[in-house]
Amino acid sequence: MSVELLRQIAVYALTGAGLVFFLAGTLGVVRFPDTFSRLHALTKADNLGLGFLTLGLAVNAERWADVAKLALIWALVLLAAGTVAQLVARSALVRGER
Amino acid sequence: MAVFDLLLCALILLVAVAAIVGKGLFRAVVFFVIYGVLLSLAWVRLDAPDVALAEVAIGAGLTGVLLLGAVGRLARSDADEPAEPIDWPVAVAASVVAALLVGAAIKITPGTGLEPEVRAVLTRTGVENPVTAILMNLRAWDTLLESMVLITAVIGLWPLAQGGDWMEPAGPAHHAQPGGVLSGFGRLLPPVALLVGVYLLWAGASQPGGAFQGGTVLAAAGVLCVMAGVVRAPGMAAPAWRLALVAGPAVFAAFGVAGLAWGGFLTFPEAWAKGAILTIEMALTLSIAVVLALLVLGPPQAGEAR
């Protein structure tokens, strides 16, 4: 098996895994009953789905600088998603949701 | 990729319809933001990353935030959400305009447009990115006027300030918990955003980017700082901030007038073009960041929050 083939397999497997998490997260947002469990589904999709997607893209990246940029994007989205989830959850708590 | 493009077009149309006919203002705004993000994907597919950046930052991000703020204010002023039936004259007029636009778009023959002309003079414009060359040199007039329009938007906010609030910080009072998640995020992100904003400005000379994109990122960082309680919002009309507000258009116009010595308003001589454009863009980035941040923060509402 050539290195190129292995690389392509890795790209498809990783981005595929990312898409599965996004799909699961979306289903959770649509189907889960209350704000908190919906948030749980949403942040899982962001963390793991985007993580696998960026990993897959990083395998295909041509320069290390591109890998660093992808990692930065993932880290920033992670931070933003976590912060927003906390804020949404708090405002839901304040409004009396359980 | 043709399947992807068709799917994208169908999604854009669906989301646009959902934004117009859906129930509730909040839902409409959410669909509008999704519409902007999808539209920027379409621009990427059309090989126009500059437009995509502007669309996602300003069309979806900034306009979305402004609309969300408006929805919030409407909810507080307990105005009823309009549940009007379809306004038929408006619907017909909009449909006719849309049909004419579609007709015009179909008639466009695929070609290179003005690209050969721009490429031919690109080396004399002082920048390598053809989009920046058009915005800052070949059609500098339009950009100068655009930057002035932004100032009038902020001045349009001023009358909304209640009398006693005039000298108060812009926007509503923010109450982030000290040591909470938001105040931590508000300390962590701005340094990164500062770097990204300045990078976008610098990259504009040779790659997609520029004053508008960089300014939007800086404005977002500023608003986040205010919301997280890291800094106090500036007074809406404080002298230093007014100076920052007009710096971009003022520097731009000054260079324009200096161009008279070389044969015309806004004419940049080849040797000085790069320096001139970079200086103007730096001042413009500052002004755009201040304009957008003040627009998002809104008029001072010190009295209302208490």
Side-chain angles (χ1 to χ4, degrees):
Chain A
M1 246 204 241
S2 71
V3 176
E4 190 48 40
L5 184 64
L6 271 178
R7 186 219 286 265
Q8 284 313 313
I9 291 174
V11 169
Y12 277 105
L14 288 168
T15 48
L19 292 181
V20 169
F21 275 104
F22 270 118
L23 193 67
T26 312
L27 272 178
V29 172
V30 178
R31 300 291 300 169
F32 280 171
D34 61 286
T35 308
F36 301 106
S37 37
R38 278 197 208 120
L39 277 177
H40 166 78
L42 196 64
T43 40
K44 287 300 158 298
D46 278 346
N47 294 358
L48 290 164
L50 189 66
F52 275 118
L53 268 188
T54 45
L55 262 185
L57 293 175
V59 172
N60 242 359
E62 282 167 16
R63 288 169 302 168
W64 281 104
D66 293 343
V67 178
K69 276 185 202 166
L70 284 168
L72 181 69
I73 290 172
W74 181 57
L76 287 177
V77 172
L78 216 62
L79 270 171
T83 309
V84 170
Q86 292 275 347
L87 295 177
V88 172
R90 191 187 298 158
S91 87
L93 256 186
V94 169
R95 280 196 212 162
E97 271 188 58
R98 283 281 150 194
Chain B
M1 284 313 261
V3 179
F4 178 82
D5 290 342
L6 282 176
L7 262 177
L8 187 60
C9 287
L11 262 180
I12 290 174
L13 286 176
L14 269 177
V15 170
V17 170
I20 295 170
V21 303
K23 270 197 164 178
L25 289 175
F26 179 73
R27 187 177 295 234
V29 174
V30 171
F31 274 116
F32 176 80
V33 172
I34 300 171
Y35 170 80
V37 173
L38 291 175
L39 208 57
S40 80
L41 268 183
W43 284 118
V44 171
R45 289 291 301 140
L46 288 170
D47 253 339
D50 294 81
V51 190
L53 263 176
E55 174 62 36
V56 80
I58 298 172
L62 177 85
T63 318
V65 169
L66 288 177
L67 288 174
L68 277 181
V71 171
R73 280 183 77 96
L74 279 175
R76 259 181 294 152
S77 68
D78 48 56
D80 283 335
E81 290 204 356
E84 290 167 22
I86 295 175
D87 191 338
W88 285 106
V90 173
V92 169
S95 304
V96 169
V97 172
L100 288 175
L101 282 174
V102 169
I106 288 174
K107 267 192 217 149
I108 296 173
T109 48
T112 49
L114 287 172
E115 203 184 332
E117 281 91 333
V118 175
R119 294 263 172 220
V121 296
L122 193 57
T123 49
R124 291 193 282 129
T125 57
V127 287
E128 291 143 50
N129 178 4
V131 176
T132 309
I134 293 171
L135 288 180
M136 298 305 299
N137 195 332
L138 306 176
R139 299 289 307 168
W141 248 117
D142 305 66
T143 313
L144 174 63
L145 293 178
E146 250 173 50
S147 64
M148 290 177 174
V149 166
L150 279 175
I151 300 179
T152 53
V154 171
I155 295 174
L157 264 186
W158 288 355
L160 294 176
Q162 306 289 327
D165 291 345
W166 179 241
M167 296 310 288
E168 296 292 322
H174 294 279
H175 308 283
Q177 283 181 11
V181 191
L182 185 57
S183 56
F185 191 55
R187 284 183 163 77
L188 201 62
L189 193 67
V192 184
L194 201 64
L195 186 70
V196 173
V198 173
Y199 168 77
L200 279 173
L201 161 68
W202 182 255
S206 54
Q207 302 163 51
F212 269 90
Q213 289 89 340
T216 313
V217 172
L218 294 182
V223 171
L224 178 65
C225 281
V226 170
M227 287 176 67
V230 179
V231 294
R232 225 168 103 94
M236 193 171 51
W241 290 91
R242 285 194 213 187
L243 205 63
L245 209 59
V246 297
V251 169
F252 207 154
F255 271 100
V257 172
L260 285 174
W262 278 278
F265 186 60
L266 287 171
T267 305
F268 305 134
E270 210 176 314
W272 296 89
K274 182 168 182 144
I277 289 177
L278 202 62
T279 313
I280 294 168
E281 286 223 272
M282 282 195 269
L284 266 186
T285 306
L286 175 72
S287 292
I288 289 166
V290 173
V291 166
L292 299 184
L294 286 177
L295 282 181
V296 170
L297 288 172
Q301 299 158 31
E304 203 166 308
R306 269 183 222 121

